[in-house]
């Protein structure tokens, strides 16, 4: 079982890979937004339309765009459905529409009115950062569609695909991604976006190789054959037969690895739980056989883009559906992780100067305790209805007192197994005290790195500071794992680092007991663990911890990995 590493061939464009997939195919460039003069009037039969006619036309365009997005959402499933529904809500947003129509009523040309209001909202989203910043692409997609319909121009988006192709765009909105004919899409490449954006999330759900933040991608000519390697984060134009053959061998190898659904363990039998991250009940219903359960159920999907919080009955129904779909397998539920990059209309506090350090995650209990109490009550009902006991954890816990308060609330609601997320350096440094209050912890390495390195994890130009191999971040993981061993309590990882086969060896060597990741990453991680003993994993971890920089840490770990594993997984 072999497959040669592809590496980064000369002439390749570089970006951030999402997952480990690879594909070869011709480029299909996504249609850009129509180039129109913002000051141009709306013409009807060659005559400038009256203000009332302009208002009616723009309002109808918004209605048609929203209806089209809702129709696409109804035909989609899982995360795709959710993000399409959220984008439809943007087209329906009364504040957005109202400001556009006010400008039109004052005599502003329709394109200028739509563009001006959208850019105002986009600036607000970008300033807020995080989840809202990721939605700027969706907002501008709504603008482009509304403008096209207003002026009776072809809507921008993905062209009709006559053959299996690599879709290349400056960025893709969920509506564009959902409109793809999956029988004719082999990969997605974008110049913008990030690994936590909608395009990346949907590509992961659909199992498509994806590389984002690829400078120069839209400069590729339509029809140019490219090799897309998400594991290496590269896009290579006109690949030779050697590259094609290497990618094909790797695809065949990873397909073979996926046939192994045995429980995760090291070569000498140390059990390591291999779990999947999900966001919806539909995701749980598609849970692959290779997952031993759910290591992270992101419940905030239930709350986002709503004017009011979901009822206890609605939540209980969703949680029960997830527990039934898991069919006896472990399910770890994260309570509402809102605020900062995931604001809620009914909970986010106004005028927070630095939302990432403000009232977010578990801290919402200070301002809105009813949100947590209702969610815990719903989880208690789901447990009673199904007979299955979820593990429940709170995000953004910083102190042992917060851990104790959460545990008290959760147990009073009927939750048997209570834990917290370790995302704040303070919680990692005092992990033994935190674990004295709860049954388990799970490391959110994305946020842990963000706070340890004082770096916004959505700023692509600072990606090197957020490298999962940063020794300072590994030190915090090691401190948490040591506390887990000392207290004999489970320590999991549910951040992106869990899905990297090489990092998985380090995490297990540090003492992590379970790893939760995107389902597609499970086969490679399972294979890497099975080819190394616990002692070797500990040696790999020690080598990474002793390094001075992130690149040195990764190189030191890689040097100790079984050569066949390096070759098979193209590490």
């Amino acid at each position: 079982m072999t497959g040669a590493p592809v590496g980064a061939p000369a002439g390749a464009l570089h970006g951030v890979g999402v997952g480990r997939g690879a594909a070869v195919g011709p480029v299909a460039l996504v249609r850009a937004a129509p180039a129109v003069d913002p000051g141009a009037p709306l013409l009807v039969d060659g005559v400038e339309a009256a203000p009332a006619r302009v208002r009616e036309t723009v309002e109808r365009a918004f209605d048609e765009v929203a209806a089209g997005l809702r129709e696409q959402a109804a035909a989609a499933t899982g995360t795709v459905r959710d993000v399409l529904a959220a984008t439809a809500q943007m087209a329906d947003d009364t504040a957005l529409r109202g400001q556009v129509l006010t400008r039109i009523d004052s005599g502003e040309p329709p394109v200028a009115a739509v563009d001006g209001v959208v850019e105002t909202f986009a600036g607000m989203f970008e300033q807020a950062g995080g989840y809202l910043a990721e939605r700027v692409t969706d907002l501008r997609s709504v603008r482009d569609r509304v403008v096209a319909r207003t002026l009776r121009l072809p809507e921008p988006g993905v062209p009709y695909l006559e053959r299996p192709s690599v879709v290349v765009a400056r960025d893709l909105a969920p509506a564009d991604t959902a409109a793809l004919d999956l029988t004719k899409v082999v990969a997605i490449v974008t110049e913008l976006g990030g690994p936590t954006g909608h395009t990346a999330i949907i590509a992961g759900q659909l199992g498509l190789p994806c590389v984002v933040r690829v400078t120069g991608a839209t400069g590729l000519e339509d029809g140019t054959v490219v090799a897309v390697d998400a594991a290496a984060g590269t896009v290579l134009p006109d690949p030779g037969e050697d590259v094609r053959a290497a990618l094909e061998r790797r695809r065949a190898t990873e397909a073979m690895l996926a046939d192994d659904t045995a429980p995760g363990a090291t070569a000498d039998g140390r059990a390591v739980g291999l779990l999947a991250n999900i966001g919806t009940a539909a995701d749980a219903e598609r849970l692959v056989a290779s997952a031993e359960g759910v290591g992270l159920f992101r419940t905030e999907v239930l709350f986002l883009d709503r004017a009011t919080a979901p009822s206890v009955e609605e939540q209980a129904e969703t949680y029960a559906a997830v527990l039934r779909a898991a069919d006896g397998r472990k399910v770890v539920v994260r309570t509402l992780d809102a605020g900062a990059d995931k604001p809620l209309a009914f909970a986010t506090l106004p005028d927070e100067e630095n939302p990432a350090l403000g009232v977010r995650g578990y801290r919402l209990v200070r301002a809105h305790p009813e949100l947590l109490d209702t969610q815990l009550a719903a989880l208690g009902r789901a447990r009673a209805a199904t007979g299955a006991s979820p593990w429940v954890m709170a995000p953004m816990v910083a102190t042992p007192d917060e851990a104790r308060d959460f545990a008290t609330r959760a147990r009073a609601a009927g939750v048997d197994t209570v834990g917290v997320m370790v995302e704040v350096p303070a919680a990692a440094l005092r992990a033994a005290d935190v674990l004295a209050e709860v049954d388990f912890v799970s490391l959110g390495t994305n946020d842990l790195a963000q706070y340890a390195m004082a770096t916004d994890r959505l700023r692509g130009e600072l990606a090197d500071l957020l490298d999962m191999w940063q020794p300072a971040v590994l030190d915090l993981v090691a401190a948490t794992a040591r506390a887990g061993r000392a207290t004999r309590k489970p320590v999991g990882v549910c951040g992106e680092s869990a899905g990297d086969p090489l990092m998985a060896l380090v995490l297990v060597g540090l003492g992590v007991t379970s790893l939760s990741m995107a389902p597609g990453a499970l086969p490679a991680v399972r294979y890497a663990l099975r080819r190394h003993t616990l002692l070797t994993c500990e040696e790999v971890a020690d080598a990474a911890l002793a390094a001075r920089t992130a690149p040195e840490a990764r190189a030191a770990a890689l040097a100790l990995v079984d050569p066949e594993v390096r070759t098979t997984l193209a590490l």
Side-chain angles (χ1 to χ4, degrees):
M1 191 160 52
T2 61
V6 175
L13 303 179
H14 297 267
V16 179
V18 179
R20 294 185 47 80
V24 176
V27 166
L29 287 171
V30 174
R31 287 194 302 267
V36 296
D37 177 6
L42 175 64
L43 301 179
V44 178
D45 298 326
V47 179
E48 183 174 344
R53 179 67 178 273
V54 175
R55 179 188 178 95
E56 177 189 343
T57 301
V58 172
E59 198 160 15
R60 184 171 60 249
F62 271 105
D63 287 338
E64 290 173 351
V65 169
L69 289 166
R70 284 194 295 269
E71 184 178 346
Q72 286 181 300
T77 59
T79 305
V80 176
R81 178 194 61 215
D82 297 330
V83 295
L84 279 170
T87 307
Q89 287 183 340
M90 298 176 85
D92 270 331
D93 186 83
T94 55
L96 180 69
R97 286 195 189 203
Q99 291 188 32
V100 170
L101 296 176
T102 297
R103 288 192 180 206
I104 289 173
D105 291 342
S106 69
E108 190 168 353
V111 177
V114 174
D115 191 58
V117 172
V118 165
E119 285 308 305
T120 298
F121 275 68
M124 294 165 52
F125 284 12
E126 288 171 340
Q127 186 174 9
Y131 175 78
L132 280 179
E134 293 278 4
R135 297 198 65 193
V136 167
T137 295
D138 312 336
L139 181 62
R140 288 178 174 145
S141 171
V142 169
R143 173 199 62 194
D144 296 341
R145 290 165 183 266
V146 168
V147 167
R149 284 184 176 270
T150 297
L151 301 181
R152 297 183 178 88
L153 297 173
E155 280 197 24
V158 181
Y160 173 74
L161 302 178
E162 298 181 349
R163 52 182 174 167
S165 304
V166 175
V167 174
V168 177
R170 181 163 173 77
D171 207 350
L172 279 176
D176 296 322
T177 313
L180 297 174
D181 178 355
L182 297 183
T183 65
K184 294 179 180 175
V185 179
V186 297
I188 295 175
V189 175
T190 65
E191 285 191 339
L192 301 180
T196 61
H198 282 152
T199 297
I201 291 171
I202 292 175
Q205 178 184 333
L206 299 176
L208 293 172
C210 179
V211 184
V212 299
R213 303 192 69 82
V214 182
T215 301
T218 57
L220 294 167
E221 291 188 11
D222 215 21
T224 300
V225 175
V226 295
V228 179
D229 186 351
T234 60
V235 179
L236 179 66
D238 302 315
E241 286 303 318
D242 55 338
V243 172
R244 292 169 179 257
L247 290 179
E248 182 55 43
R249 286 195 298 271
R250 201 175 83 200
R251 278 201 301 269
T253 295
E254 295 192 0
M256 192 180 305
L257 296 180
D259 291 336
D260 183 357
T261 59
T266 59
D268 52 342
R270 173 62 64 92
V272 180
L274 296 183
L275 310 164
N277 296 339
I278 66 169
T280 66
D283 292 341
E285 291 166 1
R286 290 189 297 271
L287 202 61
V288 295
S290 58
E292 296 170 49
V294 174
L296 173 63
F297 175 25
R298 303 181 180 95
T299 59
E300 57 272 12
V301 173
L302 271 169
F303 293 77
L304 295 174
D305 302 305
R306 299 178 60 130
T308 59
S311 67
V312 65
E313 292 80 12
E314 181 181 351
Q315 291 188 58
E317 182 179 344
T318 298
Y319 305 147
V322 171
L323 292 171
R324 292 190 184 100
D327 194 24
R329 289 179 282 182
K330 178 179 178 178
V331 175
V332 182
V333 178
R334 182 177 69 189
T335 57
L336 180 60
D337 186 16
D341 61 339
K342 288 167 279 192
L344 298 178
F346 49 86
T348 301
L349 301 185
D351 303 322
E352 280 194 307
E353 293 185 2
N354 194 340
L357 300 179
V359 182
R360 57 165 299 196
Y362 177 69
R363 298 172 184 179
L364 280 172
V365 76
R366 298 169 181 246
H368 297 283
E370 72 283 358
L371 289 176
L372 177 62
D373 291 339
T374 299
Q375 187 169 29
L376 291 173
L379 285 162
R381 289 193 188 186
R383 175 185 179 278
T386 63
S389 296
W391 293 33
V392 181
M393 61 185 182
M396 284 297 293
V397 166
T399 69
D401 285 348
E402 288 181 336
R404 182 191 309 119
D405 181 65
F406 175 70
T408 300
R409 290 172 180 267
R411 288 170 180 143
V415 175
D416 292 331
T417 307
V418 183
V420 299
M421 294 282 292
V422 174
E423 303 162 285
V424 180
L429 294 171
R430 305 297 297 188
D433 293 333
V434 170
L435 276 164
E437 306 295 342
V438 295
D439 304 309
F440 72 98
V441 296
S442 185
L443 286 145
T445 51
N446 301 343
D447 269 329
L448 185 62
Q450 171 174 246
Y451 292 123
M453 305 303 294
T455 303
D456 186 340
R457 65 189 180 98
L458 296 178
R459 300 295 300 185
E461 64 269 33
L462 300 177
D464 59 305
L465 296 177
L466 294 173
D467 190 319
M468 70 178 77
W469 294 92
Q470 284 289 353
V473 180
L474 292 179
D475 285 341
L476 294 172
V477 175
T480 306
R482 281 196 300 272
R485 288 197 299 269
T487 57
R488 298 180 182 276
K489 292 182 177 180
V491 174
V493 171
C494 58
E496 288 181 24
S497 60
D500 179 87
L502 181 57
M503 177 56 75
L505 300 179
V506 172
L507 295 174
V508 170
L510 293 176
V512 168
T513 57
S514 67
L515 302 168
S516 190
M517 63 202 76
L522 287 163
V525 170
R526 175 181 282 103
Y527 171 73
L529 289 175
R530 188 162 297 163
R531 294 300 300 264
H532 298 85
T533 65
L534 178 60
L535 177 61
T536 300
C537 291
E538 290 171 345
E539 291 172 347
V540 172
D542 289 342
L545 284 175
R548 189 181 63 88
T549 68
E552 290 174 6
R554 186 182 189 283
L558 187 60
L560 297 175
V561 170
D562 182 301
E564 185 173 345
V565 172
R566 287 203 301 267
T567 300
T568 299
L569 299 181
L571 297 176

